[in-house]
Amino acid sequence: MTDNELKNDSAVEAGSDSSARTHFIEDIIAEDNKTGRFGGRVHTRFPPEPNGYLHIGHAKSICLNFGLALDYGGKCNLRFDDTNPTKEEVEYVESIMNDVRWLGFDWEDRLFYASDYFDQLYEWAVQLIKAGKAYVDHLNADEIREHRGTLTQPGKDSPYRNRSVEENLDLFQRMKNGEFPDGTCVLRAKIDMTSPNLNLRDPVMYRILHATHHRTGDKWCIYPMYDWAHGESDSIEGITHSICTLEFEDHRPLYEWFVENLNIYRPQQIEFARLNLTYTIMSKRKLIRLVQEKHVRGWDDPRMSTLSGMRRRGYPPEAIRAFCDMIGLAKSNSVADFAMLEYCVRQHLNKVATRVMAVLNPLRVVLTNYPEGQVDELDAVNNPEDPSAGTRKVPFSRVLYIDRDDFMENPPSKFYRLSPGREVRLRYGYFIKCEEVIKDEAGNIIELRCTYDPTTRGGEAPDGRKVKATIHWVSAAHALDAEVRVYEHLFTRPDPNSDDEGKDFTAYINPNSLQVLAGCKVEPSLKDAAPGSRYQFERLGYFCVDPDSQGSTLVFNRTVTLRDEWAKLQKSQPS
Ligand code: ATP
Ligand code: MG
């Protein structure tokens, strides 16, 4: 997709559609506004680490942070938390910006990088050393871990803990100057090795890493740890509410220790429960493996939980935003049902997607009483949910394709579609009746000979006789060729992370997650359908044009079926 298409895609302004009910972060903001803690300001940030593509969990955080800013007339920054040069890449930075824009949010002129603050962070570290609140430690990583103690046992002081300020300043400067190889020593905050909170047991602030950074190049060979960089970056940017996921709750005292001891502006860290989804993996470490081990075709494979994958699959940004709103905000972890996300996708596409006819598994139908060479242009409704979408002409002719599923030679009693001697309605067309079944030598059905009733144009018989089914079709001479990619969950179990059997999550990859249907036929109105356009194939589901479409063959991804599993679930489990 081009940038322009991305922008058009999200032309509908994002904002929280939530009703009057408020969630706990809104309550906190209301309280802060009452006490005047931040002078009525609301300034949030979305702080991705550019070490992978964004996934649906990040969408929750993006909608929350940008949504709050919109709701309160505040601001939201995009800040790359780029403190680990070994895992970060420019490709990720660009994809992240693309995805945030696509979701419909705008950081305006507030694009920041934690690496912009490396000089300031260094100065602040020196300040802490001078105050006797940080020291250079020569214990190695294992020794530091041993000294840290456990939840039940206090830690032990490092033998280097009581170095003089002068020695620490000298060593820290030499760390920065590149005099020591990786791993020689670290800078640690001097807090309390007996604190019940392990994060306060002299956490590491800087490590030596002789690595080239995507923005600062080789300027630095010491890099700040997350806890040291994050709150300070928030403070520099004047963030009011620093929203993060639950696992950082125990880091909050450290966040506060740093800003208090530096005596700088104090943002408020607030934790919420991360989004988890059934049948879905969200850890970037695991997503990278799916890509690198070629379990999927790339980061934007439509089976991925990444926003680029969901975009390619055909999920509209409005649906993702609606989903993030619908799941609400919690303080304890839970797992959302994938069917709920699909419900939101369907809800939105039902309103906006043009209906077309497509045949995925074509069976040739010859209308023996229809004149050769004649073409009837039938009127078809583009979207019954949206009268302004108008109508289009669909060509009808002597040879058609219908879906094989819509015919049975020996139908069971509940099958009402086409079968020998049976009459059905063709969508927007006529009644047809199956007169003869043609088979090849092996006994496979290759063609149906049918007659049509010219008096039933428009779908009703003047004599009042009824048919029990309406099926879709395309005109063989006019149809376009298409490949359709049908997806199922990428994993065979709702929680692919669970390893109670000691298995790796890749053991649960669904071998049937992608089924490629070649030789599909779609109606000719799709001739110029651009990659990214979404349609409802009548009776089959929603489909999105894939960028792999080439020349005269269109490629579609099945976005979602028409079956609403979520509504079914809701009915079977009254809350
Ligand atoms: P991952 O575990 O996928 O690598 P991360 O937390 O390390 O995720 P970051 O790039 O650091 O990834 O995340 C950026 C922001 O998105 C953080 O504020 C983080 O809390 C938030 N975030 C990440 N995953 C989720 C999730 N599943 N639900 C809600 N917010 C999330
Ligand atoms: Mg992170």
Side-chain angles (χ1 to χ4, degrees), residues 47 49 81 226 248 284:
E49 182 180 355
D81 171 23
Y226 173 88
F248 289 99
K284 278 183 277 187

mmCIF file of all heavy atoms in Angstrom, residues 47 49 81 226 248 284, ligand 2:
data_model
loop_
_atom_site.group_PDB
_atom_site.id
_atom_site.type_symbol
_atom_site.label_atom_id
_atom_site.label_comp_id
_atom_site.label_asym_id
_atom_site.label_seq_id
_atom_site.Cartn_x
_atom_site.Cartn_y
_atom_site.Cartn_z
ATOM 1 N N PRO A 47 5.278 4.188 23.605
ATOM 2 C CA PRO A 47 6.728 4.010 23.590
ATOM 3 C C PRO A 47 7.213 2.651 23.060
ATOM 4 O O PRO A 47 7.734 1.845 23.825
ATOM 5 C CB PRO A 47 7.064 4.122 25.073
ATOM 6 C CG PRO A 47 5.882 3.444 25.747
ATOM 7 C CD PRO A 47 4.695 3.593 24.824
ATOM 8 N N GLU A 49 9.445 -0.296 21.454
ATOM 9 C CA GLU A 49 10.845 -0.606 21.174
ATOM 10 C C GLU A 49 10.898 -1.080 19.728
ATOM 11 O O GLU A 49 10.164 -1.992 19.345
ATOM 12 C CB GLU A 49 11.337 -1.713 22.117
ATOM 13 C CG GLU A 49 12.804 -2.013 21.864
ATOM 14 C CD GLU A 49 13.370 -3.101 22.766
ATOM 15 O OE1 GLU A 49 12.659 -3.573 23.669
ATOM 16 O OE2 GLU A 49 14.531 -3.477 22.526
ATOM 17 N N ASP A 81 11.605 3.653 21.998
ATOM 18 C CA ASP A 81 12.418 3.279 23.147
ATOM 19 C C ASP A 81 13.620 2.501 22.593
ATOM 20 O O ASP A 81 13.681 1.282 22.657
ATOM 21 C CB ASP A 81 11.531 2.429 24.068
ATOM 22 C CG ASP A 81 12.309 1.789 25.191
ATOM 23 O OD1 ASP A 81 13.385 2.316 25.540
ATOM 24 O OD2 ASP A 81 11.854 0.757 25.705
ATOM 25 N N TYR A 226 16.306 -0.075 30.326
ATOM 26 C CA TYR A 226 14.929 0.417 30.190
ATOM 27 C C TYR A 226 14.491 1.267 31.387
ATOM 28 O O TYR A 226 13.999 2.392 31.229
ATOM 29 C CB TYR A 226 13.979 -0.773 30.009
ATOM 30 C CG TYR A 226 12.524 -0.374 30.035
ATOM 31 C CD1 TYR A 226 11.878 0.021 28.873
ATOM 32 C CD2 TYR A 226 11.808 -0.361 31.234
ATOM 33 C CE1 TYR A 226 10.549 0.422 28.899
ATOM 34 C CE2 TYR A 226 10.489 0.029 31.267
ATOM 35 C CZ TYR A 226 9.860 0.425 30.107
ATOM 36 O OH TYR A 226 8.559 0.820 30.151
ATOM 37 N N PHE A 248 4.985 -4.016 34.868
ATOM 38 C CA PHE A 248 5.841 -2.925 35.336
ATOM 39 C C PHE A 248 5.403 -2.352 36.683
ATOM 40 O O PHE A 248 5.990 -1.407 37.182
ATOM 41 C CB PHE A 248 5.904 -1.809 34.286
ATOM 42 C CG PHE A 248 6.689 -2.225 33.078
ATOM 43 C CD1 PHE A 248 6.050 -2.665 31.930
ATOM 44 C CD2 PHE A 248 8.077 -2.226 33.113
ATOM 45 C CE1 PHE A 248 6.780 -3.093 30.826
ATOM 46 C CE2 PHE A 248 8.813 -2.651 32.021
ATOM 47 C CZ PHE A 248 8.172 -3.081 30.878
ATOM 48 N N LYS A 284 7.067 -10.394 20.784
ATOM 49 C CA LYS A 284 7.838 -10.118 19.564
ATOM 50 C C LYS A 284 8.922 -11.167 19.335
ATOM 51 O O LYS A 284 9.237 -11.501 18.206
ATOM 52 C CB LYS A 284 8.450 -8.717 19.639
ATOM 53 C CG LYS A 284 7.433 -7.642 19.230
ATOM 54 C CD LYS A 284 8.042 -6.270 19.233
ATOM 55 C CE LYS A 284 8.037 -5.713 20.634
ATOM 56 N NZ LYS A 284 8.473 -4.314 20.698
HETATM 57 MG MG MG B 2 9.122 -3.591 26.036
#
